[in-house]
Amino acid sequence: MTDTISHLQCAKCGKSVDADGLWNTCPSCAKPLVVLYDLKKLKKTLKKEDLKKREPTLWRYHELLPIQDSSHHLTLGEGYTPLLYAKRLGQTIGFSGLFIKEESPNPTGSFKARGMAVAVARARELGVQQMTIPSQGNAAAAMSAYAALAGIKAHVFMPKDVPRSFVMQCVAYGAKVELVDGYLPDCARASEEAAKETGYFDMSTLKEPYRLEGKKTMGFELAEQMNWELPDVIIYPTGGGTGLIGMWKAFEELEMLGWIKPRKPRMVCVQSDGCAPIVRAFLDNKETAEPWVEPRTIADGLRVPVAIGDFMILRTIRESRGTAVTVTDEEIMEGLQIMSSHQGLFPCPEGAATFAAFKRLREQGWIKDREKVVLFNTATGLNYLHLWFKNP
Ligand SMILES: *Cc1c(COP(=O)(O)O)cnc(C)c1O
């Protein structure tokens, strides 16, 4: 048993609720709930050296995860992915401090496995038997896989033009798949209706508190793999924003445990110029983002026109003294080619977007000579072969 979890708190209005309940969003204002831990207590019992002997999955950080009874952990080997020193890729623009957190070895081929391993495990612990999600592909595949492992029935709603490989994976895992004629918000409406009518648990990004906990482990790993000295800059492809928000939460927790120094990375949000609600809000000095009309980009994970956690993403970028940039689909394609041919990776378009953003920020001098920069390749490119057929 772990007893480090304290309570859940609304990220907007600050309302506290009991962590033993099955919650979606804040009961007062419908904004995201986040998990708080008793870190003072944990600081006395857990040392960072204790981690060394533990299994190479995200469960090595189990005291900082919300599952109360370890018999409910679900594992397919998620997390503890490689942090690669991207020497040759950096050399293409004469930069020696470039690293890539390579998320494609995760189960189902993307970092979405992190969030789902933890959230599905916690949902099972709280008695959930059926769950539903709107998704652009990777989240649906990951949820379906962990639901299969947990013996939970999965229902997924995806735009009808998502790559076939995602549809097939979900079907194979035993999920009920519905293809929707529209964008992600249309899928979200269909999924929400299903949840209301039937009582399925809604697993949408930041509409339940625990996927964020799984995603934050990227931050723990980065710290551990860099010997508890965080990089200067993190460049992250942002859709719903859980990765960015989650890593920042991880860094704050590590700081409170006294495992890292207060200096934290500047967080960079990358979006496509065909769907950039967060970048636009950042540049306009807004605290929330207006929905993006007609989202269009080859990077499906970035085709998120509305994010419930918009204010959390914007807060994170500003607090970290980071920035937000757009890249074009052409730059993403160029990034795919350079990362493949110069570093031996086969990235997803979202991962390629981080390289394109890195190049831009370096050219602008926003990234300095001796800085350390970490890009995130959030998924394998194998689900996006259609991009290569169009652009051989
Ligand atoms: C979901 C997804 C993203 C965006 O992730 P968030 O953390 O929700 O912003 C980026 N890349 C890929 C491959 C994704 O599937």
Side-chain angles (χ1 to χ4, degrees), residues 142-187:
M143 189 187 89
S144 301
Y146 286 96
L149 184 64
I152 290 174
K153 181 72 188 173
H155 301 261
V156 304
F157 294 81
M158 294 185 277
K160 69 176 196 308
D161 59 351
V162 292
R164 292 303 90 175
S165 57
F166 291 124
V167 179
M168 288 169 197
Q169 279 184 73
C170 293
V171 170
Y173 293 130
K176 174 124 196 307
V177 178
E178 292 215 27
L179 297 178
V180 176
D181 189 4
Y183 301 117
L184 193 60
D186 304 299
C187 300

Side-chain angles (χ1 to χ4, degrees), residues 109-112 135-139 166 205-206 211 215 218 236-246 270-271 299-302 304 313 348-351 376-380 384:
S110 87
F111 82 115
K112 291 284 197 302
S135 165
Q136 218 69 261
N138 280 316
F166 291 124
T205 299
L206 291 173
R211 283 174 65 189
K215 300 261 186 96
M218 294 190 293
Y236 188 83
T238 306
T242 46
L244 205 77
I245 301 165
V270 186
Q271 298 195 304
D300 292 324
L302 306 185
V304 181
I313 307 172
C348 59
E350 296 82 359
F376 269 79
N377 179 41
T378 40
T380 173
Y384 306 90

Side-chain angles (χ1 to χ4, degrees), residues 190-263:
S191 171
E192 253 160 52
E193 263 167 42
K196 270 205 203 92
E197 276 167 26
T198 56
Y200 303 159
F201 188 64
D202 185 353
M203 292 284 279
S204 310
T205 299
L206 291 173
K207 290 187 183 166
E208 61 73 51
Y210 300 114
R211 283 174 65 189
L212 186 66
E213 294 304 291
K215 300 261 186 96
K216 81 178 179 187
T217 58
M218 294 190 293
F220 293 157
E221 287 174 24
L222 211 52
E224 199 184 348
Q225 289 170 325
M226 298 187 102
N227 205 19
W228 310 102
E229 290 201 19
L230 293 171
D232 299 285
V233 175
I234 289 176
I235 305 186
Y236 188 83
T238 306
T242 46
L244 205 77
I245 301 165
M247 278 193 272
W248 194 249
K249 183 173 191 284
F251 300 151
E252 287 180 334
E253 289 172 356
L254 292 178
E255 197 182 332
M256 283 191 261
L257 288 172
W259 293 6
I260 58 167
K261 296 194 194 86
R263 196 192 63 86

